[in-house]
């Protein structure tokens, strides 16, 4: 018994060129047709780069498509108490930047 699998042209071109295509194979219970649906995955080249919002002396603040990322690094040789003060100062500095930027973009406090 032979059955034909329906696939779209993009999937066929990828298979002919030797690429591996991941997806799901379904059989319609009413018509009996078998169809292949490839997974809609973006390649690694489509990933957008994070945008640098603010750079401080010991860290940075970046923005991705869904998140804001803060990274702070302080040297260990200054001691734990000074580390804590430096971390607080850096995070306050970045928070103030975000606050000022938010006021500019959103037109005041919300």
């Amino acid at each position: 018994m032979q059955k034909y699998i329906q696939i779209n042209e993009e999937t066929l071109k990828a298979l002919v060129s030797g690429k591996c295509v991941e997806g799901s194979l379904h059989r319609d219970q009413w018509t009996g047709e078998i169809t292949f649906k490839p997974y809609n995955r973006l390649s690694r080249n489509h990933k957008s780069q994070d945008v640098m919002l603010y750079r401080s002396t010991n860290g940075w603040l970046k923005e991705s498509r869904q998140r804001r990322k803060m990274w702070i690094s302080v040297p260990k040789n200054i001691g734990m108490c000074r580390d804590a003060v430096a971390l607080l100062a850096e995070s306050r500095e970045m928070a103030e930047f975000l606050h000022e930027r938010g006021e500019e973009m959103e037109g005041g406090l919300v």
Side-chain angles (χ1 to χ4, degrees), residues 12-73:
L12 181 62
K13 287 178 185 177
L15 290 172
V16 169
S17 68
K19 293 182 181 176
C20 178
V21 179
E22 294 182 357
S24 59
L25 196 62
H26 296 283
R27 182 180 173 269
D28 188 357
Q29 67 184 22
W30 306 112
T31 61
E33 293 177 349
I34 298 174
T35 58
F36 177 78
K37 293 185 180 178
Y39 296 140
N40 189 15
R41 295 185 175 157
L42 295 177
S43 66
R44 292 183 182 177
N45 297 338
H46 286 85
K47 184 179 176 186
S48 61
Q49 294 292 319
D50 295 344
V51 177
M52 178 75 69
L53 296 178
Y54 184 77
R55 179 176 285 285
S56 66
T57 55
N58 294 319
W60 47 253
L61 180 67
K62 291 184 178 181
E63 186 175 49
S64 68
R65 209 174 79 200
Q66 296 178 344
R67 297 186 172 270
R68 287 186 193 89
K69 303 172 186 177
M70 177 174 36
W71 180 78
I72 303 170
S73 176

Side-chain angles (χ1 to χ4, degrees), residues 58 74-87:
N58 294 319
V74 292
K76 287 172 71 175
N77 61 0
I78 62 174
M80 274 197 231
C81 293
R82 289 184 182 158
D83 279 349
V85 171
L87 287 171

Side-chain angles (χ1 to χ4, degrees), residues 1-5 27 31-34:
M1 179 167 118
Q2 290 183 343
K3 286 280 187 177
Y4 293 102
I5 300 173
R27 182 180 173 269
T31 61
E33 293 177 349
I34 298 174

